[in-house]
Amino acid sequence: DSPLVESGGGSVETGGSLRLSCAASGFRFDEDDMGWYRQGPGLRCEVVARISPDGAASYADSVKGRFAASKDNAKNTAYLELNNLTPNDTGLYRCAVKYGGSGCFFAYWTEGTQVTVSS
């Protein structure tokens, strides 16, 4: 069984919203840092949000004010709310755990879920 199971994603029009979920087994989000990263059509990788074990969230400038990361420690599930989406947000979004400190390197990650935003 995968230690991280991601759900959500889909296709929306510009200005729309989506919600991604990431359920963990084998990790505890109150002990491990986690994050969300995406790869766009050009395969550029970007960490869009991270949450520390104590719940502090940080965001890439490109999504600040539009995306909201949260987690429910009791359910060991993290969420990423994507609002006011634009075509530039199109990409494969992955939930990940234990940030490696640079780039999009994490110790564990999901296969990802596709987010497609049409104009």
Side-chain angles (χ1 to χ4, degrees):
D1 291 339
S2 175
L4 296 170
V5 178
E6 185 176 356
S7 60
S11 298
V12 296
E13 295 183 344
T14 296
S17 297
L18 289 169
R19 188 193 201 203
L20 308 182
S21 299
C22 179
S25 59
F27 301 107
R28 287 183 53 174
F29 285 147
D30 59 351
E31 294 182 349
D32 295 313
D33 65 286
M34 66 85 55
W36 300 87
Y37 69 96
R38 66 185 180 186
Q39 284 181 291
L43 299 181
R44 182 179 70 94
C45 179
E46 179 182 32
V47 177
V48 296
R50 292 174 55 203
I51 304 181
S52 66
D54 64 4
S58 60
Y59 303 93
D61 288 342
S62 60
V63 306
K64 205 170 289 184
R66 300 187 300 119
F67 288 14
S70 62
K71 60 177 181 171
D72 184 332
N73 289 336
K75 296 181 179 179
N76 218 26
T77 300
Y79 307 95
L80 185 67
E81 300 277 352
L82 295 73
N83 300 305
N84 195 19
L85 287 161
T86 74
N88 286 338
D89 295 313
T90 293
L92 185 68
Y93 283 70
R94 289 187 168 98
C95 161
V97 176
K98 298 185 180 182
Y99 186 52
S102 65
C104 291
F105 181 73
F106 287 84
Y108 303 92
W109 58 91
T110 63
E111 291 185 353
T113 186
Q114 180 67 32
V115 171
T116 302
V117 185
S118 59
S119 58

